[in-house]
Amino acid sequence: MSTLTFPENFFFGSATAAFQIEGAGDEDGRRPSIWDAFCDEPDRILDRSNGMVACDHYHRMPADVALMKDLGLQAYRFSTSWARVMPDGETLNEAGVDFYSRLVDELLEAGIKPWLTLYHWDLPQALGERGGWTVRETPYRFADYAGELVSRLGDRVETWTTLNEPWCSSFLSYASGEHAPGHTNPSEAVDAAHYLLLAHGLGVQALRAKAPRDITVGITTNHTVAHPADPDNPADVDAARRIDGAFNRVFLDPLFKGEYPADVLSDMAEAGLGQVAREGDMAIISAPIDVLGVNFYNGGAHAAPEANATPKLWPGPGGHLIGSPFVGSETVKGVSRDLPRTAMDWEVDAADLAILLRRLHAEYTGPAGIPIVITENGAAYDDQPDADGYVDDSGDRLVYIREHLAAVHEALADGVDVRGYLVWSLLDNFEWAFGYTRRFGIVRVDYETQERIPKASARFFADVARSKQLTLP
Ligand code: NOJ
């Protein structure tokens, strides 16, 4: 047995997202988002569910905050629903703002730091119908939304994240069709990637301009660690390079270096990466931020497929499937590393998180002099509740979290500036295209009764959060 001690100011907390937990889909002026519309389409969601009720957090918010306090959590990352705050994408809905204002007050009262994400995928459908992330107008509407909200909540919310996982809102949504709006058009996806980056940059400007005081501003990106299946095979090394470019560097380089990487521009030339960029965009996109939020679930190994293989979908970060046009047809395939897998079929290897953090620090955040916060990390497993609804996940989810916390500690010891860890997720919730069939919570939600029942992993995480110590077997 050994014990790892985290720095006294390192914070532990949990993360959620509006569409995944709030419910109250048509209450108090909220209007549909692109995810409501997507759920209404046949066969988009595995269990044909939607977000109309979800975890009913909208009505149970004070009790959910009390639960976090009981667990000793020090920070809570939530997202605001643009469709609740500005139901038509442009006009402020006071009742919507009021919900988040009450949430923030409740958190501060409980001694929990609010960490606000402005965009976690629920674009107002009204803007979706005008072209969503494939048109240049949307980033400007986003900046208006950011500015309005910070002028209302900036007095009490210190940390603001513009976007959550722009890779998912672009490639996964406009190319692989797995997420709303479900398109399968590579050109739309690369345009969306650019407009999301521009939205981030314009959002940072608006946040800084309209905040009533100094705030901390950042973005959350999701990452993979791309390994060559055979490091001695140049074709596999090139396959891993392409995956790294398509997931990590296509966002990190514009944000930190003000340009798309040359090799990724060439890999995605057919789709037209960067073609909608205008002069001045990159300066806006690469304006300094104060913190990088990192979401990490898994890495993977990649190889060049055999000659004549059919181009197909391969797994990216979080195991999502995406088409090959971005990495060149017939050039890449995912290769199993024979590791344990979660209920999402994602490989588990915590060593990849330490590798990722060291790399981000060396190439991006270190040179920029900014810290990293893990804004999401966690795992879905097929929970087996006992008669009381209690889930003993000490053999899987708890182990996943423990190993990844140890990886964060290792990175800290290597000099990486990591300031906090937010587990995904506080509650079981609506897992996008998987509906309610995948459970990521450290707290079980009984969807019949809406009862919340902390799992073994919640008790474990609460101990770590309180003591700042991690005991390894
Ligand atoms: C990342 C996303 O931000 C979150 O919404 C999702 O539920 C988790 N990954 C798990 O897939």
Side-chain angles (χ1 to χ4, degrees):
M1 237 169 58
S2 66
T3 299
L4 306 175
T5 303
F6 284 84
E8 194 37 54
N9 59 359
F10 190 93
F11 58 88
F12 295 90
S14 65
T16 65
F19 192 81
Q20 296 180 270
I21 66 164
E22 283 179 4
D26 52 13
E27 284 182 49
D28 295 339
R30 185 187 180 281
R31 298 235 317 252
S33 71
I34 55 172
W35 268 94
D36 295 278
F38 194 60
C39 291
D40 284 345
E41 291 179 25
D43 297 326
R44 291 296 199 179
I45 311 297
L46 190 60
D47 59 2
R48 305 210 156 110
S49 61
N50 58 42
M52 292 306 281
V53 176
C55 306
D56 196 32
H57 169 75
Y58 190 75
H59 298 117
R60 293 163 196 268
M61 178 272 286
D64 287 340
V65 173
L67 172 63
M68 286 187 262
K69 188 179 180 190
D70 283 351
L71 294 174
L73 303 188
Q74 293 125 25
Y76 174 52
R77 174 175 178 250
F78 61 95
S79 76
T80 48
S81 160
W82 190 348
R84 199 181 286 294
V85 172
M86 290 180 163
D88 63 0
E90 303 181 76
T91 320
L92 202 71
N93 170 31
E94 288 295 344
V97 179
D98 184 60
F99 171 70
Y100 298 108
S101 182
R102 284 187 286 116
L103 167 61
V104 167
D105 287 344
E106 200 81 26
L107 289 167
L108 293 174
E109 180 72 17
I112 299 169
K113 173 189 173 63
W115 186 294
L116 189 153
T117 301
L118 285 160
Y119 187 69
H120 201 126
W121 309 349
D122 41 1
L123 184 75
Q125 171 66 1
L127 296 182
E129 283 166 10
R130 274 147 58 181
W133 289 110
T134 67
V135 296
R136 205 172 172 90
E137 184 203 346
T138 304
Y140 289 87
R141 297 289 74 77
F142 176 76
D144 292 346
Y145 159 60
E148 283 289 350
L149 213 52
V150 81
S151 67
R152 301 303 188 94
L153 303 181
D155 56 335
R156 288 159 290 151
V157 178
E158 202 261 337
T159 305
W160 293 71
T161 294
T162 52
L163 310 177
N164 176 70
E165 301 195 352
W167 184 85
C168 292
S169 326
S170 51
F171 295 99
L172 199 58
S173 302
Y174 288 97
S176 76
E178 198 181 313
H179 279 192
H183 297 186
T184 48
N185 181 333
S187 307
E188 287 185 8
V190 292
D191 292 355
H194 186 78
Y195 288 137
L196 280 152
L197 282 163
L198 183 61
H200 158 77
L202 293 170
V204 170
Q205 283 183 353
L207 288 169
R208 296 211 198 278
K210 298 276 171 60
R213 58 159 182 172
D214 262 7
I215 54 169
T216 300
V217 179
I219 183 170
T220 279
T221 44
N222 56 315
H223 296 291
T224 189
V225 177
H227 300 274
D230 174 1
D232 295 325
N233 178 347
D236 290 4
V237 172
D238 191 59
R241 174 195 65 73
R242 287 167 183 270
I243 299 289
D244 179 52
F247 293 106
N248 301 321
R249 291 182 289 114
V250 69
F251 292 105
L252 291 170
D253 280 32
L255 289 168
F256 287 92
K257 301 176 180 170
E259 59 189 15
Y260 287 112
D263 62 323
V264 181
L265 280 171
S266 146
D267 291 345
M268 299 188 187
E270 207 180 312
L273 175 65
Q275 277 177 12
V276 293
R278 291 195 190 156
E279 192 158 348
D281 283 4
M282 278 298 174
I284 296 170
I285 290 167
S286 61
I289 52 174
D290 308 313
V291 62
L292 179 68
V294 172
N295 288 1
F296 177 78
Y297 289 89
N298 65 332
H302 307 278
E306 298 75 39
N308 305 322
T310 323
K312 55 174 168 296
L313 298 172
W314 36 263
H320 297 291
L321 297 174
I322 179 121
S324 53
F326 304 106
V327 288
S329 298
E330 302 191 37
T331 50
V332 177
K333 72 172 178 192
V335 176
S336 166
R337 294 183 288 170
D338 290 328
L339 291 164
R341 288 170 185 257
T342 70
M344 301 294 287
D345 208 26
W346 301 348
E347 289 183 344
V348 180
D349 186 4
D352 278 341
L353 177 54
I355 293 171
L356 171 68
L357 291 172
R358 281 192 291 264
R359 188 262 182 112
L360 291 173
H361 178 72
E363 291 181 38
Y364 297 100
T365 55
I370 64 163
I372 290 171
V373 167
I374 307 294
T375 40
E376 280 183 38
N377 176 244
Y381 286 100
D382 290 324
D383 292 339
Q384 303 297 331
D386 68 13
D388 299 321
Y390 176 69
V391 173
D392 179 2
D393 57 355
S394 52
D396 45 45
R397 187 177 293 102
L398 186 156
V399 177
Y400 180 101
I401 295 169
R402 187 177 64 209
E403 288 178 350
H404 285 78
L405 284 172
V408 172
H409 193 274
E410 181 188 315
L412 279 168
D414 288 339
V416 182
D417 187 2
V418 192
R419 302 280 174 91
Y421 175 98
L422 307 175
V423 70
W424 185 270
S425 179
L426 176 69
L427 304 171
D428 292 337
N429 60 47
F430 178 80
E431 179 53 26
W432 307 112
F434 294 88
Y436 298 95
T437 67
R438 299 292 188 280
R439 292 175 179 267
F440 275 88
I442 57 171
V443 174
R444 180 173 178 83
V445 175
D446 178 332
Y447 293 117
E448 297 292 308
T449 62
Q450 292 294 349
E451 193 184 351
R452 276 70 163 138
I453 309 158
K455 305 176 190 177
S457 55
R459 296 178 183 181
F460 158 80
F461 193 64
D463 279 350
V464 177
R466 282 208 180 84
S467 65
K468 312 251 165 141
Q469 293 201 325
L470 177 69
T471 303
L472 302 174

